[in-house]
Amino acid sequence: MPPTVGLPHFLILAALLLVLGLFAILTRKNAIAVLMGVELVLNSANINFVAFSRYGGINLSGQMASIFIIVIAAAEAAVALAIVLNIYRVFQSVNVAKVNTLRD
Amino acid sequence: MSAFDIFFYLFALITGVSAMMAVLVKNIVYAAFALLFTFLGVAGIYVLLNADFLAVTQIMVYVGGILVLMVFGVMLTNRVTDINIKAGASSRIPAALLVVVLGAVLGYVALTTKWTTHEDAPWNNTQQWSSNVHDRIEKAEHKTTNDKSKGSVGTSEELGKLMLTDHLLPFEVISVLLLVALVGAAMLARKHPQNDGSNLTTERS
């Protein structure tokens, strides 16, 4: 039987989301799927901050950091999707392997 | 197994399974909807961690803003007639290896570090929550008269106070950041009015 839920449980959940997001960034070939991975990584950092805010004695600073991270994630998602739309206009595809005209 | 434990495992299950589906499923529309459930699970985790304002903000901003934006992106760029090329399967093994090793290291650190935890839930003595300058001054001068020790108090008031006292600079900077991102995204995503010789097919805008 697992022990009472405490700080390590939340940290392990955040670590799981981190590695899943990292796997999505490394592996997926659709640019929007890569952005989904980035959002997963940001969510994992958020869970870490809020868990330490609750358990680690830093009062509400963790939740403040989380608010700022949510705002930054929103701004970054908007700009990244605008870039992806432009890539689609030029290359007619969002496959990250095809966006390689700066090479060779 | 208290109710807290049961709810934690429930939300962790929702989050974990949805995140795995968002990462592994081929159809990107299904991945976007799995991401929706991931965000909802994370909002539930925030509620368990006494972050009520943050949970609602998460739902409003992530689900109602970012996810909607991503579904827009998916719908505008999804070519249904594309044959799903089975490329990229060879790069999965090194990525999976790296990811498993990283996850193991993080899990080991999480489990074996002796965290100094403060186990008592702060909803009974919310005066402990606040650490902003104003309240510290009041505490030092023994002038605190608010008796918040009955029942649970939400975090919104305290977060608002902190935002405008201790965290004022990040607050202002992030307002400028949002303005820049707004203008930038709108400028990047507009239809370019002139035809500059590339093979963009632009109608008259």
Side-chain angles (χ1 to χ4, degrees), chain A residues 8 11 14 17 31 40-41 43 46 49 54 58 60 68 72 75 82-83 91-93 96 98 100 104:
Chain A
L11 296 185
L17 282 182
L40 279 178
V41 171
N43 269 304
N46 258 341
F49 267 115
R54 157 76 173 90
I58 55 175
L60 282 182
F68 292 131
I72 292 176
I83 293 178
F91 291 94
Q92 301 307 311
S93 135
V96 294
K98 294 219 173 81
N100 59 358
D104 304 326

Side-chain angles (χ1 to χ4, degrees), chain A residues 15 20 27 42 55-56 58 63 72 78:
Chain A
L20 284 174
T27 313
L42 286 166
Y55 285 106
I58 55 175
Q63 297 190 19
I72 292 176

Side-chain angles (χ1 to χ4, degrees), chain A residues 1-24 26-40 42-48 50-86 88-95 98, chain B residues 1-2 4-5 8-9 12 15-16 19-20 22-28 31-32 35 38-39 42 45-46 48-51 53-54 57-58 61-62 66 69-70 73-74 76-77 79 84-85 87-88 91-92 95-96 98-99 102-103 106-107 110-111 115-122 128-131 155 158-159 162-163 167 170-171 174 177-178 181 185 188-192 199-200:
Chain A
M1 212 56 194
T4 326
V5 169
L7 179 62
H9 294 76
F10 291 100
L11 296 185
I12 290 177
L13 175 68
L16 175 72
L17 282 182
L18 179 84
V19 297
L20 284 174
L22 197 59
F23 186 72
L26 290 175
T27 313
R28 299 277 264 172
K29 55 179 171 43
N30 192 325
I32 301 186
V34 172
L35 288 176
M36 290 182 188
V38 173
E39 296 303 329
L40 279 178
L42 286 166
N43 269 304
S44 109
N46 258 341
I47 295 182
N48 255 332
V50 180
F52 276 106
S53 181
R54 157 76 173 90
Y55 285 106
I58 55 175
N59 289 335
L60 282 182
S61 305
Q63 297 190 19
M64 287 305 299
S66 284
I67 291 183
F68 292 131
I69 292 176
I70 290 181
V71 173
I72 292 176
E76 162 253 332
V79 174
L81 279 164
I83 293 178
V84 167
L85 280 180
N86 269 328
Y88 181 72
R89 271 187 208 141
V90 173
F91 291 94
Q92 301 307 311
S93 135
V94 280
N95 191 343
K98 294 219 173 81
Chain B
M1 280 282 254
S2 63
F4 185 82
D5 295 358
F8 170 75
Y9 285 120
T15 310
M20 270 190 244
V23 165
L24 294 173
V25 154
K26 282 276 176 278
N27 187 340
I28 194 153
L35 201 65
T38 310
F39 291 153
V42 172
I45 296 280
Y46 288 164
L48 286 173
L49 287 169
N50 294 356
F53 177 76
L54 214 56
T57 304
Q58 161 94 2
V61 172
Y62 261 106
I66 297 181
L69 215 56
M70 286 195 170
V74 163
L76 284 173
T77 61
R79 314 201 77 190
N84 248 338
I85 311 157
S91 72
R92 284 186 157 208
L98 167 75
V99 144
L102 182 64
L106 286 173
L111 281 174
W115 307 104
T116 56
T117 59
H118 299 55
E119 286 297 337
D120 49 343
Q128 261 185 14
W129 260 142
S130 75
S131 66
T155 51
E158 207 47 52
L159 284 175
L162 274 178
M163 183 89 81
H167 297 92
F171 170 63
I174 230 174
L177 177 97
L178 274 179
L188 277 177
R190 69 171 178 191
K191 262 208 164 88
H192 301 263
N199 53 359
L200 295 170

Side-chain angles (χ1 to χ4, degrees), chain B residues 12-13 21 29 54 57 80 90 97-98 115 121-122 125 142 150 183 188 201:
Chain B
L13 196 70
M21 283 186 48
V29 182
L54 214 56
T57 304
V80 201
S90 61
L97 211 62
L98 167 75
W115 307 104
N125 35 8
H142 302 288
K150 304 184 170 50
V183 173
L188 277 177
T201 57

Side-chain angles (χ1 to χ4, degrees), chain B:
Chain B
M1 280 282 254
S2 63
F4 185 82
D5 295 358
I6 295 176
F7 275 111
F8 170 75
Y9 285 120
L10 174 72
F11 283 125
L13 196 70
I14 292 178
T15 310
V17 168
S18 307
M20 270 190 244
M21 283 186 48
V23 165
L24 294 173
V25 154
K26 282 276 176 278
N27 187 340
I28 194 153
V29 182
Y30 292 166
F33 281 103
L35 201 65
L36 162 75
F37 284 105
T38 310
F39 291 153
L40 288 179
V42 172
I45 296 280
Y46 288 164
V47 171
L48 286 173
L49 287 169
N50 294 356
D52 50 320
F53 177 76
L54 214 56
V56 179
T57 304
Q58 161 94 2
I59 294 181
M60 286 200 307
V61 172
Y62 261 106
V63 174
I66 297 181
L67 194 72
V68 169
L69 215 56
M70 286 195 170
V71 171
F72 266 118
V74 163
M75 294 302 175
L76 284 173
T77 61
N78 202 12
R79 314 201 77 190
V80 201
T81 56
D82 259 355
I83 311 152
N84 248 338
I85 311 157
K86 265 298 181 182
S90 61
S91 72
R92 284 186 157 208
I93 313 264
L97 211 62
L98 167 75
V99 144
V100 163
V101 166
L102 182 64
V105 169
L106 286 173
Y108 178 75
V109 166
L111 281 174
T112 59
T113 312
K114 294 187 177 27
W115 307 104
T116 56
T117 59
H118 299 55
E119 286 297 337
D120 49 343
W123 55 62
N124 277 330
N125 35 8
T126 35
Q127 208 52 36
Q128 261 185 14
W129 260 142
S130 75
S131 66
N132 67 38
V133 174
H134 184 67
D135 284 349
R136 271 183 255 144
I137 292 177
E138 267 192 353
K139 251 194 259 190
E141 300 174 346
H142 302 288
K143 267 201 278 193
T144 49
T145 54
N146 42 3
D147 182 19
K148 290 203 202 116
S149 54
K150 304 184 170 50
S152 70
V153 178
T155 51
S156 310
E157 174 181 352
E158 207 47 52
L159 284 175
K161 279 198 216 165
L162 274 178
M163 183 89 81
L164 288 178
T165 55
D166 283 351
H167 297 92
L168 183 59
L169 180 62
F171 170 63
E172 300 293 343
V173 170
I174 230 174
S175 313
V176 177
L177 177 97
L178 274 179
L179 174 70
V180 168
L182 193 75
V183 173
M187 196 217 74
L188 277 177
R190 69 171 178 191
K191 262 208 164 88
H192 301 263
Q194 76 279 5
N195 191 1
D196 50 357
S198 63
N199 53 359
L200 295 170
T201 57
T202 58
E203 300 98 26
R204 191 195 69 83
S205 79

